[in-house]
Amino acid sequence: MHHPVPVIATLDAILPDEPLLMMGAGPVPIPAKVAAANGIVINHLGDTMARVIEQMKMMARYVFQTESQHILGVAGPGSAAMEMAAANLVIPGSKVLCVCNGFFSSRLAEMSERLGAEVVRINIPCGQAANADEVITAIREHRPQVLTIVQGETSNTVYNGCLPEICRVAHELECLVVVDAVCTLSTMPLNMDDWGVDAVITGGQKGLSSIPGVSLVAFSELAWDLISSRQDILRHWCLDAKLADQFWYKKSYHYTAPVSGILALHEALHLVCKETLPRRFDRHLKCSLALQAGIEGLGLELYVDQPSRLNSVVGIKLPEGLNQKELLRFISSEYGVEIAGSFGLDIVRIGQMGEQCRTHNIFRTIHALGSSLKGLGQQVDIPAGVAALERSIEMYQPRYSAQTE
Ligand SMILES: *Cc1c(COP(=O)(O)O)cnc(C)c1O
């Protein structure tokens, strides 16, 4: 034979002895139930899968806060769900208005361009939230068929709080609104029906604390009207919502569903339902505010000011003279904590999505961050950071769930 058997290290030799604490911008740690479900393979069609899918749709309707009968899964990353929303709603030659806050929201613009749309971008200065008036003026001026916007821009940790306002005007002007909620869904309110969002996109490995590779997209009735009335043939066979509908609503075959990942997502959604959204939002807010207080207590500065600061992923300015890569390597090798760098910005990011929002995880992360900075010769006040963290947790008043809980 021409090609010899390769020499391969075992996974044990490659992976650290103890799993690292994944506190970056995703993937995030998964609960044991999700991990166990991910190890199971069942028939992708048949009664068992049908029951799983029925329950998943029920749970997804709760998590998306919608009555939609058009929630579809997709085998692929969050980006595949983005592309599925875009491919089905963006008609070649139509006008799409894209609110670009950064890396991910610009991806929706790029996808729309590839689909042959006439794309108008609103480029928001880095670190700032979209301004509702500016977006509404642009909708009136350009009269797009579709508007794309991100709820939380993971790349630079900005939060767009103006979605309800924008959706209201967009609807009056017959513009469909596509919202990327990959990092935010189930970490903060997103009321698809009340706000009038036409497509909500999410991935598995962030807010939902499942595995990467199986994602969801929910279409409104209005969006589905457009999808079902389209006469042109979609270029994307795998992402064609009408074909996916065969599997998700008609118990028949589109492509072999990612069964293990679907079971994992079923468990992740079940955990959201058991916790309930109000309690989950409070857990996320409590932990993120405490993390932010801890970071400032250490003597560091947060990248984004209120009210544009995203709570699901927190951006931290690097002290002068500190190398980002060096810090990431140090905190990982010395303390077993993974945090994220960023695409082109001089910040590091700490995620607050799903299982990352546990107080024991933030204490460990603040200690690891402070000690790493100290180890790299920076001046930080670790006791003050830990104290600020503790104080913030103690002072938190539930905002979404009953105070007695
Ligand atoms: C992570 C992320 C994506 C992309 O998800 P992938 O699973 O990496 O494709 C898109 N949008 C936002 C807001 C994200 O945080």
Side-chain angles (χ1 to χ4, degrees):
M1 277 188 278
H2 286 297
H3 299 286
V5 176
V7 179
I8 292 296
T10 61
L11 261 187
D12 278 345
I14 295 171
L15 297 174
D17 292 339
E18 282 291 322
L20 302 176
L21 179 59
M22 301 296 287
M23 296 299 285
V28 308
I30 54 172
K33 282 208 153 89
V34 172
N38 190 44
I40 300 169
V41 171
I42 61 169
N43 186 351
H44 65 113
L45 299 169
D47 293 342
T48 306
M49 189 44 118
R51 258 192 95 179
V52 169
I53 294 298
E54 259 337 288
Q55 299 209 125
M56 274 188 73
K57 290 185 297 190
M58 283 162 58
M59 295 189 289
R61 282 197 288 271
Y62 171 66
V63 176
F64 286 97
Q65 287 291 290
T66 180
E67 297 292 316
S68 170
Q69 296 296 322
H70 310 289
I71 297 176
L72 304 170
V74 52
S79 300
M82 293 163 86
E83 202 146 39
M84 188 164 186
N88 286 280
L89 296 179
V90 173
I91 297 171
S94 67
K95 209 180 246 189
V96 178
L97 182 63
C98 299
V99 181
C100 298
N101 287 94
F103 193 75
F104 290 114
S105 38
S106 299
R107 188 175 287 176
L108 272 169
E110 191 190 330
M111 287 173 174
S112 302
E113 247 156 19
R114 288 178 180 221
L115 289 161
E118 186 191 326
V119 170
V120 179
R121 283 179 169 78
I122 304 180
N123 290 310
I124 316 279
C126 189
Q128 290 179 28
N131 175 290
D133 292 337
E134 187 187 352
V135 176
I136 287 167
T137 305
I139 300 173
R140 290 194 203 284
E141 180 186 341
H142 297 287
R143 298 302 305 266
Q145 275 81 46
V146 172
L147 173 119
T148 68
I149 187 164
V150 69
Q151 185 175 31
E153 175 57 69
T154 317
S155 65
N156 54 23
T157 67
V158 159
Y159 164 62
N160 283 327
C162 55
L163 293 183
E165 229 177 314
I166 290 172
C167 288
R168 208 175 314 121
V169 176
H171 264 204
E172 282 166 19
L173 298 173
E174 289 171 19
C175 167
L176 297 175
V177 180
V178 175
V179 172
D180 174 349
V182 174
C183 79
T184 49
L185 193 79
S186 90
T187 76
M188 61 173 71
L190 193 162
N191 300 321
M192 181 175 174
D193 285 2
D194 282 358
W195 297 358
V197 183
D198 295 293
V200 181
I201 297 155
T202 197
Q205 77 277 21
K206 298 195 188 170
L208 294 175
S209 260
S210 184
I211 57 155
V214 180
S215 304
L216 294 171
V217 48
F219 290 106
S220 71
E221 216 43 63
L222 221 55
W224 200 257
D225 286 346
L226 176 111
I227 290 168
S228 44
S229 69
R230 269 182 82 160
Q231 299 299 320
D232 57 329
I233 307 261
L234 254 61
R235 314 268 174 92
H236 292 75
W237 188 90
C238 283
L239 301 178
D240 188 327
K242 279 190 263 192
L243 298 181
D245 184 68
Q246 291 295 317
F247 177 75
W248 288 87
Y249 288 87
K250 313 237 158 57
K251 300 182 188 178
S252 71
Y253 176 70
H254 175 206
Y255 53 74
T256 304
V259 287
S260 313
I262 285 179
L263 293 172
L265 191 52
H266 179 282
E267 291 306 277
L269 291 169
H270 194 196
L271 289 171
V272 179
C273 291
K274 281 207 282 200
E275 183 174 20
T276 75
L277 286 176
R279 271 188 269 162
R280 195 174 175 91
F281 297 155
D282 269 326
R283 173 164 64 85
H284 278 81
L285 186 59
K286 178 177 83 179
C287 283
S288 184
L289 292 178
L291 176 74
Q292 292 167 35
I295 290 164
E296 291 183 319
L298 290 174
L300 300 170
E301 241 183 287
L302 298 169
Y303 180 61
V304 176
D305 291 327
Q306 293 292 11
S308 312
R309 185 184 299 153
L310 179 63
N311 288 324
S312 319
V313 184
V314 177
I316 307 160
K317 284 190 199 165
L318 283 179
E320 203 124 334
L322 185 77
N323 181 289
Q324 184 200 75
K325 289 226 162 59
E326 210 175 340
L327 173 61
L328 301 186
R329 218 175 296 125
F330 196 96
I331 190 170
S332 173
S333 62
E334 296 296 315
Y335 296 97
V337 175
E338 287 273 306
I339 61 173
S342 94
F343 313 98
L345 295 171
D346 214 19
I347 61 172
V348 289
R349 296 172 299 153
I350 297 178
Q352 283 295 278
M353 299 174 282
E355 290 307 299
Q356 293 176 323
C357 295
R358 301 287 176 195
T359 49
H360 53 275
N361 288 338
I362 15 180
F363 274 103
R364 181 169 158 194
T365 303
I366 280 292
H367 173 262
L369 179 64
S371 305
S372 299
L373 288 166
K374 201 166 157 191
L376 292 169
Q378 298 288 327
Q379 290 270 351
V380 284
D381 192 339
I382 300 173
V386 175
L389 174 47
E390 171 68 18
R391 204 175 314 116
S392 176
I393 289 170
E394 209 146 276
M395 302 285 286
Y396 182 76
Q397 300 284 337
R399 199 172 295 179
Y400 303 101
S401 53
Q403 308 262 331
T404 48
E405 279 178 346

